Each structure stands twice: as structure tokens, then as C-alpha cells.
Amino acid sequence: VIAEGERVPDLPVLDEGLRAQGAPGVYLAGDITGLPLIRNAINQGAHAVRSLARELESEGQKGGGEGFDLVIVGAGPAGIAAALEAKEQGLRACVLEQGSVAESVRSFPRGKLVFDQPLGVPRVGELWLEESTKEELLGKWLRIVHREGLDIREGLRVTGCERRGGTLRVLAQTAVSEGSSEHGEAAFVDARRVLLALGRRGTPRRLGAPIADAMVDHVHYSLADARSFAGKRVLVVGLGDVAMEAAAGLAHQPGTRVTVAYRGPDFKRGKRRNIDTLRRLASTGRVELLWSTTVEAIEPGRARLLGPKENTQDLAVDCVFVMIGNVAPTALLEAFGVSAS
């Protein structure tokens, strides 16, 4: 449909309209289809909605009956473009987002985003973003969402799907902060079609250690702007490329003390330049590397660590970055009946 960017293996099986094979009424768009880039996500979101709108119209269901014509899961570029196209098509649609609108854009590092051609956004027209910063891009998206009055429901994590005749019941749960003793409340939305506008990487893998309520807002899973943490005592958990790049960026901020905790005894994988950079920073004292170390708990102002030979230590911290990979949305796709190639 929109072929730019290299596809990856084990992808959902889709037809030309981006409808999932073997999962009636379910469509996919965005990174989950294996095509990266914002431009592809926008094009696919709009294309999928045009396809399902034609299908609903041929069945005499477009805009009729109770409930929604379409539920969109994910409010990134694909989901927002889909919601805009749904409005253009006269469909009743809502968007469920476990985080915030344009969460994927918010996680971009500070800097310039270069596009070699304008983005065609439904109801907006061509959106030229050559040399646009992350903040400018995010601002444009939020203004579009507000102006068009899109029904986007934040803080709802989709957990599954039930089929009820010709209706899909999308099951969700209100999001709660990691470490909180509270449980999210169950919710559901009924619709005739569902569009999964998800990221292929899924959601960040959680720490698995207790986090004090006072520290919940100081535990992060991505780094958008290292300058915001100048002068802070920072713990980075993990040693993949994302973790190493974050540690290096933080270490270059004035007055920032960076400690990296990794469960292994040495570098295991990663780009050579990232490994060399971190070794150089460690040799000059800009970064402290703690090998064979895991996090036992995060308490106000400190992280309790378990190191080699079961030795424990308390590390003074202002914030913690957990960068230990992502949980792919495999289970969620299976819940909607979507199979991979």
C-alpha cells in the first residue's frame, strides 16, 4: 500500500485494505505493520479507514445503529490520521490511548526531524515539516487534535476483545502508575470495526521492583531531553544501545552524576561506537558502571541495589531511567485474532 522503509519479518498478515487475515473487522496501521516512518503511519491510518468505510457502506452499516463505527487503538501519527479520516468519512469514531496523545512523538530526542516531502494529513492537507523540531511537530499535532475535536481517551490500556455478533467489544483498563497499589478500573467500548494503530516495539518492560509512591513520577522509560536532568543524580538500568545512548547524553550535562546498573558481568551487545563511548566516559569518571547488579527497590531519594556476591548498597538518586527493552504487543494481537506471517 505504502512502500517506503524496510519491512521486518513475522508481520501480521494483511490484505490490500490493511484488514487482518482471519480477524473480521480488525485493521492495522503504523509501525506494527512493519513499515517505519511517520509518513507511512499517516498514509496507512487514512488508507485503512477509507477501506473499512467502504466495507461498512456496502453492508449498510455506515453511521447507523448504536455505538461507534470505529475504535482506534493508539493516538500516534497513524491513530490521529485515522481519526481525522474517520471524521472526513462521516464515521463515529473514538481513540483509546494508554498514555498521552502523540506519545511516540513525545519520546523523540530533542533535535531536528527532516522530511524530504510534505506529509499529507486528512482534513489538514499537506503539512510541511522539513527541519521541524520535536516540539514543533508535537505542537502541530496537538493543535490539529484540538481544532478537529477528536474523541481521544487517554489513560486507557486496551487489554483484549470480545466478539458479540457483528460488534467488537474492545476491553480496556484505566492506566495506573507503576508501583501503585491501586488497580485500574475495567472499561469497554463497542464498535463495528477496530483499527490497531500500534508500535511494533510494544510497551516498555517494567522494572519488577517496588517503587515508592514519592518516586513513581521520577522513574522514566525514555529520554527526550537530557538537558532537563542537568545537576541530577541519575541511575540508568540496562545496557542496550538505548540505555548507553541515554547514559552518554546525560553524562554530558553539567553537574549530572550518572550510574549504570547492568545485570551482566560485561558488555553483551550493542553498537561498537556506543560501547566505546561508555567505556571512555567510565574511564574519565563521567559514568559509573555497576556490573552484575539489579534493582531491589526504589525509595525516596535512593535506589536499593543488589550487586555481586549478594552485596546490597543504597545509591542516592533523583531519578531512574529503566531501559531494559520492550514487551511486544503479541498477546494483544492474538486477543484480536491477528496472526503473523
Side-chain angles (χ1 to χ4, degrees), residues 200-247:
R200 181 171 171 79
R201 291 183 300 173
T203 56
R205 192 179 302 279
R206 301 298 170 173
L207 189 58
I211 301 173
D213 290 344
M215 291 296 290
V216 166
D217 291 337
H218 301 283
V219 177
H220 310 282
Y221 295 88
S222 64
L223 175 63
D225 184 7
R227 293 182 297 181
S228 301
F229 299 92
K232 302 291 186 181
R233 300 167 299 178
V234 181
L235 171 65
V236 177
V237 183
L239 203 62
D241 281 314
V242 173
M244 287 190 282
E245 290 167 4

Side-chain angles (χ1 to χ4, degrees), residues 1-164:
V1 178
I2 301 94
E4 182 175 343
E6 184 178 351
R7 285 186 176 272
V8 293
D10 299 324
L11 296 172
V13 181
L14 309 174
D15 66 14
E16 285 298 314
L18 299 178
R19 178 174 48 189
Q21 180 176 306
V26 179
Y27 292 72
L28 276 71
D31 191 46
I32 192 64
T33 68
L35 281 177
L37 304 181
I38 291 177
R39 180 165 52 253
N40 289 331
I42 292 171
N43 290 342
Q44 284 192 323
H47 178 80
V49 172
R50 288 192 292 269
S51 298
L52 67 88
R54 288 193 296 268
E55 186 177 68
L56 286 171
E57 189 167 25
S58 69
E59 297 173 358
Q61 297 188 61
K62 182 178 177 181
E66 298 180 356
F68 289 98
D69 295 305
L70 173 64
V71 168
I72 301 163
V73 181
I80 294 174
L84 290 167
E85 183 63 35
K87 185 174 181 179
E88 183 73 13
Q89 294 288 333
L91 301 177
R92 292 199 300 272
C94 73
V95 184
L96 307 183
E97 165 60 47
Q98 68 176 352
S100 303
V101 173
E103 189 80 18
S104 57
V105 176
R106 294 175 194 270
S107 67
F108 288 174
R110 181 181 291 271
K112 291 186 177 181
L113 305 171
V114 180
F115 298 86
D116 58 7
Q117 65 184 54
L119 304 177
V121 181
R123 296 184 62 83
V124 175
E126 291 190 345
L127 187 63
W128 184 258
L129 293 171
E130 186 177 20
E131 295 188 352
S132 174
T133 65
K134 177 195 79 171
E135 291 74 18
E136 290 169 339
L137 175 59
L138 181 59
K140 289 177 187 291
W141 279 122
L142 294 179
R143 285 193 293 273
I144 290 170
V145 168
H146 178 72
R147 186 184 70 217
E148 296 294 332
L150 302 182
D151 184 355
I152 299 181
R153 306 177 186 190
E154 299 177 313
L156 277 177
R157 181 174 64 88
V158 172
T159 57
C161 176
E162 294 178 353
R163 294 185 179 273
R164 297 174 172 244

Side-chain angles (χ1 to χ4, degrees), residues 188-210:
F188 67 86
V189 181
D190 291 337
R192 283 172 279 283
R193 297 293 185 273
V194 172
L195 173 63
L196 301 177
L198 306 171
R200 181 171 171 79
R201 291 183 300 173
T203 56
R205 192 179 302 279
R206 301 298 170 173
L207 189 58

Side-chain angles (χ1 to χ4, degrees), residues 247-326:
L250 290 162
H252 284 97
Q253 305 312 309
T256 301
R257 193 197 74 189
V258 180
T259 303
V260 176
Y262 180 54
R263 63 183 180 178
D266 202 347
F267 292 97
K268 184 177 181 180
R269 60 183 179 275
K271 297 175 182 176
R272 173 53 56 185
R273 68 172 181 270
N274 288 334
I275 294 174
D276 291 344
T277 296
L278 215 58
R279 280 182 169 149
R280 183 172 64 254
L281 290 169
S283 68
T284 59
R286 302 287 293 276
V287 171
E288 180 183 10
L289 296 174
L290 300 179
W291 302 108
S292 303
T293 299
T294 58
V295 178
E296 292 288 286
I298 298 177
E299 301 168 352
R302 66 178 183 176
R304 175 149 294 187
L305 306 178
L306 180 65
K309 299 181 180 180
E310 302 297 312
N311 292 326
T312 61
Q313 67 166 302
D314 287 341
L315 179 72
V317 297
D318 297 306
C319 56
V320 178
F321 285 88
V322 180
M323 296 177 163
I324 53 178
N326 296 276

